[in-house]
Amino acid sequence: MNVLVTGGAGYIGSHTVVELLNAGHEAVIVDDLSNAKADVIDRIETITGKRPAFHQIDCADGAALRRAFASCKIDAVIHFAGFKAVGESVRKPLQYYRNNLDSTMTLLEVMEEFGCKKFIFSSSATVYGPNNPHPYKEDMPAIQSSSPYGWTKVMIERILTDYVTAHPDFCAILLRYFNPIGAHESGLLGDDPNGIPNNLMPYIGRVAAGQLEKLTIFGGDYPTPDGTCQRDYLHVVDLAVGHLKALEYAADHTGAEAINLGTGHGISVLELVHAFETANQMKLPYVIGPRRDGDLPAFWADAQKAETILGWTATHSVEDMCRSSWEFARKSAEQ
Ligand code: UFG
């Protein structure tokens, strides 16, 4: 299949492109590099021996997107591109709604013009909102969120569901990710955000590399076994493979389908910190600080649907996640 991957130079996108190429598909990356580096394309080539086509364009630019679609027959789209910082979205809601919604709608319009009917969307567990009990199951009401970023995911899921109602021959798979961490085993691809990281694992990586002084754990008084928040961390390579499985499923199905991608188990921030220390034989300086606004105490996936309909389960251990994260952070710090 020829697969157009928006945001294909980003953290999850680049790992997915590697899995696509290794499985014999062709990948066409569309990325404006607003939160990714151009050398990711070279790294993908180093890992796979194949160079994906690359268009440095903004997904909301319809004319540029049309040129990318005209460059070869696109069979399916995986849509990662979008702003993704929860806190920033609270400060800049218009920017988030404009960017994330516009780019998705432009993409759908161009797909329609070119007769492309397979769409894999990068959604998030954030769509379950603060009121559903965990583990989260796909048939729970997913109609709210706690940040403008999260609301863009809720809204895009709605747009895709309505689009499928109007176009019953279209297939949209809404992949609801839990907390991806880890890096490619080569140490060449990983989560390397600009500036000070918001997410836990890239922050830990910079502390381990001595680039940041210590980790602050946000809250030690949650109603959880050790008082710190629990999340469902999954290896980014498992997540990437989940996209491949979703593509295979979409190839002979129509309709809209929401599917969780998580391990089905929650671990706490402190447990992850200790797992990192053990896996990499080091001590990580940390303090327990106040809670962060908007954090939920605990959630993880019910991972049954992905197994049943995609034949997908996460296979990497927490130790794999911690070791590969450190390998990538260490190499990045040396550059
Ligand atoms: N944390 C810290 N210190 C830090 C960073 C994070 O203690 O410096 C804690 C958070 O409080 C939370 C846990 O680590 O308990 C995980 O935090 P992340 O920021 O890594 O991830 P979140 O669960 O907050 O957010 C993730 C994705 C979002 C998505 C959300 C819900 O980043 O895109 O899950 O699915 F919306």
Side-chain angles (χ1 to χ4, degrees):
M1 262 192 261
N2 290 332
V3 186
L4 185 128
V5 185
T6 76
Y11 173 45
I12 307 171
S14 59
H15 286 84
T16 301
V17 169
V18 165
E19 296 305 319
L20 284 172
L21 296 175
N22 284 343
H25 298 293
E26 298 295 329
V28 177
I29 295 179
V30 164
D31 200 305
D32 66 0
L33 299 182
S34 60
N35 194 25
K37 299 190 175 84
D39 73 350
V40 165
I41 313 297
D42 302 329
R43 292 167 181 234
I44 292 172
E45 186 179 10
T46 304
I47 293 168
T48 64
K50 296 179 201 160
R51 191 166 184 85
F54 172 51
H55 300 263
Q56 188 179 345
I57 53 177
D58 178 346
C59 246
D61 179 347
L65 256 189
R66 278 182 196 95
R67 285 195 292 277
F69 271 79
S71 67
C72 70
K73 164 102 180 67
I74 301 294
D75 301 305
V77 169
I78 307 181
H79 182 38
F80 293 104
F83 294 158
K84 61 172 189 176
V86 176
E88 184 185 59
S89 79
V90 175
R91 295 190 301 277
K92 301 176 178 173
L94 286 185
Q95 216 166 304
Y96 271 68
Y97 288 117
R98 169 70 73 193
N99 182 68
N100 292 3
L101 299 183
D102 250 14
S103 60
T104 308
M105 289 189 288
T106 305
L107 189 54
L108 284 169
E109 285 165 359
V110 175
M111 286 176 72
E112 194 172 314
E113 284 171 35
F114 283 81
C116 181
K117 298 186 168 76
K118 307 293 176 190
F119 194 96
I120 314 294
F121 176 56
S122 171
S123 191
S124 164
T126 191
V127 302
Y128 289 105
N131 298 324
N132 280 305
H134 54 262
Y136 292 155
K137 237 173 129 50
E138 291 86 347
D139 57 6
M140 288 174 170
I143 46 164
Q144 53 181 322
S145 194
S146 46
S147 70
Y149 156 78
W151 274 107
T152 68
K153 297 294 183 191
V154 173
M155 289 175 181
I156 293 170
E157 285 204 1
R158 181 77 240 166
I159 289 167
L160 287 167
T161 307
D162 289 344
Y163 187 79
V164 165
T165 304
H167 300 86
D169 59 343
F170 193 87
C171 185
I173 309 290
L174 319 172
L175 295 178
R176 294 176 177 165
Y177 313 153
F178 283 71
N179 286 58
I181 58 173
H184 193 264
E185 60 177 4
S186 61
L188 291 173
L189 300 176
D191 195 3
D192 190 16
N194 295 330
I196 295 182
N198 294 307
N199 294 118
L200 181 58
M201 190 50 96
Y203 201 102
I204 288 177
R206 298 218 184 149
V207 172
Q211 294 168 308
L212 290 169
E213 187 198 342
K214 59 177 183 299
L215 171 72
T216 301
I217 295 180
F218 299 138
D221 58 352
Y222 282 100
T224 59
D226 65 18
T228 65
C229 293
Q230 294 169 305
R231 295 287 183 273
D232 185 340
Y233 297 96
L234 79 158
H235 198 295
V236 67
V237 172
D238 280 331
L239 185 58
V241 171
H243 290 75
L244 222 64
K245 298 278 188 187
L247 260 188
E248 287 163 12
Y249 177 86
D252 49 16
H253 287 83
T254 55
E257 201 73 71
I259 304 175
N260 290 339
L261 292 181
T263 66
H265 307 282
I267 65 165
S268 73
V269 178
L270 259 181
E271 284 171 323
L272 189 67
V273 166
H274 293 321
F276 188 94
E277 291 181 324
T278 306
N280 299 309
Q281 299 182 345
M282 65 168 72
K283 277 281 169 210
L284 206 67
Y286 70 84
V287 292
I288 309 263
R291 293 181 179 194
R292 180 172 71 176
D293 278 352
D295 276 342
L296 296 176
F299 62 84
W300 52 87
D302 180 316
Q304 191 54 53
K305 186 173 178 184
E307 184 171 354
T308 307
I309 79 164
L310 301 182
W312 177 91
T313 47
T315 60
H316 289 77
S317 64
V318 174
E319 193 184 346
D320 290 337
M321 300 179 209
C322 291
R323 224 177 311 154
S324 60
S325 294
W326 170 228
E327 182 63 13
F328 176 73
R330 193 178 57 74
K331 280 195 176 169
S332 304
E334 280 167 5
Q335 283 162 11

